[in-house]
Amino acid sequence: MPAPGWLPPGERIYAIGDVHGCAGRLAALHALVREDLAARPVPRPFLLHLGDYVDRGPDSAGVLALLRGSLPPGLPGLQLRGNHDQMMLDALAPGASGAALDLWLMNGGGAALASYGAAAGPGLAPGAVPAADLAWLGARPLRHAAGGYLFVHAGIAPHRALDDQRPQDLLWIREPFLSWRGRLPAVVVHGHTPSETPQLRPHRIGLDTGAVFGGSLTCGVLEGRTIGFLQA
Protein backbone atom coordinates (compact mmCIF):
# COMPACT_ATOMS: atom_id res chain seq x y z
CA MET A 1 0.00 0.00 0.00
CA PRO A 2 1.18 3.62 -0.34
CA ALA A 3 3.56 4.76 2.39
CA PRO A 4 3.93 8.27 3.82
CA GLY A 5 7.70 8.24 3.22
CA TRP A 6 10.17 7.00 0.62
CA LEU A 7 13.35 5.02 0.08
CA PRO A 8 15.78 5.30 -2.86
CA PRO A 9 15.44 2.80 -5.71
CA GLY A 10 16.99 -0.58 -4.94
CA GLU A 11 16.59 -0.28 -1.16
CA ARG A 12 14.22 -2.24 1.04
CA ILE A 13 14.04 -2.00 4.83
CA TYR A 14 12.48 -4.66 7.03
CA ALA A 15 11.65 -2.86 10.31
CA ILE A 16 10.54 -4.99 13.28
CA GLY A 17 8.62 -3.67 16.27
CA ASP A 18 8.89 -4.42 20.00
CA VAL A 19 9.91 -8.03 20.75
CA HIS A 20 9.81 -8.09 24.60
CA GLY A 21 11.22 -11.55 25.13
CA CYS A 22 9.17 -13.28 22.42
CA ALA A 23 12.11 -15.21 20.97
CA GLY A 24 10.02 -17.79 19.14
CA ARG A 25 7.99 -15.11 17.40
CA LEU A 26 11.17 -13.29 16.39
CA ALA A 27 12.72 -16.42 14.90
CA ALA A 28 9.51 -17.05 12.95
CA LEU A 29 9.44 -13.47 11.68
CA HIS A 30 13.08 -13.67 10.60
CA ALA A 31 12.13 -16.78 8.60
CA LEU A 32 9.36 -14.82 6.87
CA VAL A 33 11.85 -12.06 6.05
CA ARG A 34 14.20 -14.61 4.49
CA GLU A 35 11.35 -16.09 2.44
CA ASP A 36 10.19 -12.67 1.25
CA LEU A 37 13.68 -11.63 0.24
CA ALA A 38 14.24 -14.91 -1.63
CA ALA A 39 10.97 -14.44 -3.51
CA ARG A 40 11.57 -10.75 -4.24
CA PRO A 41 15.32 -10.03 -4.35
CA VAL A 42 16.47 -6.43 -4.07
CA PRO A 43 19.99 -4.99 -4.41
CA ARG A 44 20.16 -3.34 -0.96
CA PRO A 45 18.01 -5.01 1.70
CA PHE A 46 18.34 -3.98 5.35
CA LEU A 47 16.93 -5.52 8.55
CA LEU A 48 16.24 -3.10 11.38
CA HIS A 49 14.87 -3.75 14.89
CA LEU A 50 13.27 -0.89 16.79
CA GLY A 51 14.25 -1.85 20.35
CA ASP A 52 12.65 -3.30 23.50
CA TYR A 53 14.17 -6.75 23.18
CA VAL A 54 13.84 -7.57 26.89
CA ASP A 55 11.27 -7.69 29.74
CA ARG A 56 7.73 -9.01 30.15
CA GLY A 57 8.00 -11.96 27.75
CA PRO A 58 9.39 -15.42 28.50
CA ASP A 59 12.81 -15.39 26.82
CA SER A 60 14.71 -12.11 26.84
CA ALA A 61 17.97 -14.06 26.94
CA GLY A 62 16.94 -15.95 23.82
CA VAL A 63 16.04 -12.76 21.98
CA LEU A 64 19.46 -11.24 22.66
CA ALA A 65 21.20 -14.47 21.65
CA LEU A 66 19.25 -14.44 18.39
CA LEU A 67 20.02 -10.81 17.63
CA ARG A 68 23.69 -11.13 18.53
CA GLY A 69 24.43 -14.25 16.54
CA SER A 70 21.75 -15.61 14.23
CA LEU A 71 20.42 -12.88 11.97
CA PRO A 72 19.47 -13.96 8.46
CA PRO A 73 22.77 -14.55 6.61
CA GLY A 74 23.74 -12.02 3.99
CA LEU A 75 21.23 -9.47 5.24
CA PRO A 76 22.84 -6.35 6.74
CA GLY A 77 21.04 -4.87 9.69
CA LEU A 78 20.94 -2.69 12.76
CA GLN A 79 19.32 -2.96 16.17
CA LEU A 80 18.21 0.21 17.92
CA ARG A 81 17.88 0.61 21.69
CA GLY A 82 14.50 0.82 23.41
CA ASN A 83 13.45 2.21 26.76
CA HIS A 84 13.20 -1.27 28.31
CA ASP A 85 16.72 -2.05 27.13
CA GLN A 86 17.84 1.20 28.74
CA MET A 87 16.02 0.38 32.00
CA MET A 88 17.89 -2.93 32.18
CA LEU A 89 21.19 -1.15 31.60
CA ASP A 90 20.43 1.47 34.26
CA ALA A 91 19.27 -1.12 36.81
CA LEU A 92 22.31 -3.37 36.40
CA ALA A 93 25.00 -0.70 36.05
CA PRO A 94 27.71 -0.73 38.74
CA GLY A 95 26.56 1.44 41.64
CA ALA A 96 22.99 1.66 40.31
CA SER A 97 20.40 3.02 42.70
CA GLY A 98 17.65 0.94 44.21
CA ALA A 99 15.18 3.19 42.43
CA ALA A 100 16.58 2.16 39.02
CA LEU A 101 16.25 -1.51 39.92
CA ASP A 102 12.72 -1.02 41.25
CA LEU A 103 11.66 0.80 38.07
CA TRP A 104 12.99 -2.00 35.90
CA LEU A 105 11.34 -4.72 37.98
CA MET A 106 8.00 -2.89 37.95
CA ASN A 107 8.18 -2.90 34.14
CA GLY A 108 8.84 -6.58 33.54
CA GLY A 109 12.48 -6.91 34.51
CA GLY A 110 11.75 -9.96 36.65
CA ALA A 111 10.82 -11.95 33.55
CA ALA A 112 14.09 -10.95 31.91
CA LEU A 113 16.06 -12.10 34.97
CA ALA A 114 14.16 -15.40 35.04
CA SER A 115 15.17 -16.07 31.44
CA TYR A 116 18.79 -16.00 32.67
CA GLY A 117 18.00 -18.27 35.61
CA ALA A 118 18.21 -15.42 38.13
CA ALA A 119 15.64 -14.14 40.60
CA ALA A 120 14.84 -10.55 41.52
CA GLY A 121 15.51 -9.47 45.07
CA PRO A 122 17.86 -7.56 47.36
CA GLY A 123 20.51 -10.23 46.86
CA LEU A 124 20.64 -9.86 43.09
CA ALA A 125 24.08 -11.12 42.18
CA PRO A 126 26.45 -9.21 39.90
CA GLY A 127 26.52 -10.97 36.57
CA ALA A 128 22.89 -12.10 36.72
CA VAL A 129 22.77 -10.87 33.13
CA PRO A 130 26.01 -11.61 31.23
CA ALA A 131 28.28 -8.63 30.76
CA ALA A 132 28.47 -9.35 27.02
CA ASP A 133 24.70 -8.93 26.67
CA LEU A 134 24.74 -5.66 28.61
CA ALA A 135 27.67 -4.35 26.56
CA TRP A 136 25.83 -5.22 23.35
CA LEU A 137 22.68 -3.41 24.52
CA GLY A 138 24.70 -0.39 25.59
CA ALA A 139 26.25 -0.13 22.13
CA ARG A 140 22.89 0.04 20.35
CA PRO A 141 22.26 3.41 18.66
CA LEU A 142 19.10 5.44 19.24
CA ARG A 143 18.28 6.37 15.65
CA HIS A 144 18.79 5.50 12.00
CA ALA A 145 17.93 7.61 8.94
CA ALA A 146 17.25 6.34 5.42
CA GLY A 147 15.56 8.15 2.54
CA GLY A 148 12.61 10.10 3.90
CA TYR A 149 12.43 8.04 7.11
CA LEU A 150 13.83 8.32 10.62
CA PHE A 151 13.78 5.10 12.65
CA VAL A 152 13.67 5.40 16.45
CA HIS A 153 12.17 3.44 19.31
CA ALA A 154 9.48 5.79 20.66
CA GLY A 155 9.26 8.91 18.50
CA ILE A 156 10.57 12.46 18.47
CA ALA A 157 9.68 15.76 20.11
CA PRO A 158 7.87 17.57 17.26
CA HIS A 159 9.05 21.05 18.25
CA ARG A 160 12.74 20.12 18.31
CA ALA A 161 15.05 19.89 15.31
CA LEU A 162 16.29 16.39 14.58
CA ASP A 163 19.79 17.28 15.75
CA ASP A 164 18.36 18.56 19.05
CA GLN A 165 16.37 15.47 20.01
CA ARG A 166 17.05 14.23 23.55
CA PRO A 167 17.68 10.53 24.27
CA GLN A 168 14.72 10.64 26.67
CA ASP A 169 12.40 11.63 23.81
CA LEU A 170 13.74 9.03 21.38
CA LEU A 171 13.30 6.31 24.01
CA TRP A 172 10.14 7.34 25.87
CA ILE A 173 7.97 9.95 24.16
CA ARG A 174 4.30 9.43 23.42
CA GLU A 175 2.63 12.82 23.40
CA PRO A 176 2.64 15.24 21.70
CA PHE A 177 4.29 13.04 19.07
CA LEU A 178 1.51 10.48 18.56
CA SER A 179 -1.26 13.00 17.97
CA TRP A 180 0.87 15.51 16.04
CA ARG A 181 -0.82 16.84 12.92
CA GLY A 182 1.84 19.18 11.57
CA ARG A 183 4.81 18.52 9.31
CA LEU A 184 7.97 16.79 10.47
CA PRO A 185 11.38 16.72 8.75
CA ALA A 186 11.03 12.93 8.23
CA VAL A 187 8.41 10.22 8.57
CA VAL A 188 9.18 8.55 11.89
CA VAL A 189 9.06 4.74 12.06
CA HIS A 190 8.73 3.63 15.67
CA GLY A 191 7.55 1.08 18.22
CA HIS A 192 6.96 1.67 21.95
CA THR A 193 3.20 2.33 21.90
CA PRO A 194 1.25 -0.88 21.24
CA SER A 195 -1.82 -1.00 19.04
CA GLU A 196 -3.87 -3.82 17.55
CA THR A 197 -2.73 -3.03 14.01
CA PRO A 198 0.18 -1.09 12.49
CA GLN A 199 -0.38 2.67 12.59
CA LEU A 200 0.05 4.64 9.35
CA ARG A 201 -0.14 8.40 9.74
CA PRO A 202 1.22 11.22 7.55
CA HIS A 203 4.08 11.81 10.01
CA ARG A 204 4.67 8.35 11.53
CA ILE A 205 4.43 4.56 11.17
CA GLY A 206 3.90 2.62 14.42
CA LEU A 207 4.97 -1.04 14.36
CA ASP A 208 4.42 -2.19 17.96
CA THR A 209 1.41 -4.50 17.71
CA GLY A 210 1.69 -5.89 21.24
CA ALA A 211 3.33 -9.27 20.64
CA VAL A 212 3.93 -9.79 24.36
CA PHE A 213 0.27 -9.02 25.11
CA GLY A 214 -1.07 -11.59 22.65
CA GLY A 215 -0.88 -9.56 19.45
CA SER A 216 1.35 -10.14 16.45
CA LEU A 217 5.02 -9.35 16.09
CA THR A 218 5.07 -7.02 13.08
CA CYS A 219 7.64 -6.22 10.43
CA GLY A 220 7.05 -3.23 8.18
CA VAL A 221 8.47 -3.79 4.68
CA LEU A 222 9.40 -0.41 3.24
CA GLU A 223 10.39 0.00 -0.40
CA GLY A 224 10.14 3.00 -2.72
CA ARG A 225 6.95 4.76 -1.70
CA THR A 226 5.17 1.62 -0.53
CA ILE A 227 4.80 -0.41 2.65
CA GLY A 228 3.70 -3.98 3.34
CA PHE A 229 3.66 -6.07 6.50
CA LEU A 230 4.88 -9.46 7.68
CA GLN A 231 3.56 -10.80 10.98
CA ALA A 232 4.30 -13.76 13.22
Side-chain angles (χ1 to χ4, degrees), residues 11-109:
E11 293 189 17
R12 182 187 300 151
I13 293 181
Y14 296 92
I16 295 179
D18 298 37
V19 182
H20 281 303
C22 298
R25 293 267 191 96
L26 183 60
L29 193 53
H30 282 174
L32 293 177
V33 168
R34 288 194 296 269
E35 292 172 8
D36 183 70
L37 187 56
R40 304 184 306 120
V42 67
R44 294 184 299 281
F46 195 76
L47 177 62
L48 194 146
H49 299 80
L50 296 172
D52 275 10
Y53 311 117
V54 302
D55 299 348
R56 293 181 175 155
D59 196 4
S60 295
V63 169
L64 294 187
L66 185 62
L67 292 176
R68 290 184 60 201
S70 302
L71 292 179
L75 180 56
L78 182 69
Q79 296 81 44
L80 303 181
R81 194 186 328 159
N83 64 306
H84 279 261
D85 311 316
Q86 188 63 54
M87 279 192 286
M88 174 188 267
L89 291 169
D90 293 343
L92 299 180
S97 67
L101 179 59
D102 289 345
L103 178 65
W104 181 46
L105 295 178
M106 285 189 298
N107 285 279

Side-chain angles (χ1 to χ4, degrees), residues 54 60 68 74 88 96 108-109 119 126 144 160 164 178 181 198 201 205:
V54 302
S60 295
R68 290 184 60 201
M88 174 188 267
H144 175 73
R160 294 180 185 271
D164 295 332
L178 295 176
R181 294 294 181 267
R201 303 289 185 268
I205 299 172

Side-chain angles (χ1 to χ4, degrees), residues 124-175:
L124 182 61
V129 175
D133 279 4
L134 295 176
W136 183 87
L137 278 178
R140 298 307 93 204
L142 299 183
R143 56 197 285 176
H144 175 73
Y149 292 108
L150 178 70
F151 299 84
V152 299
H153 175 65
I156 66 172
H159 296 291
R160 294 180 185 271
L162 291 184
D163 290 342
D164 295 332
Q165 295 293 318
R166 302 172 301 176
Q168 179 180 353
D169 294 322
L170 301 178
L171 291 169
W172 285 94
I173 197 169
R174 287 197 167 96
E175 294 298 347

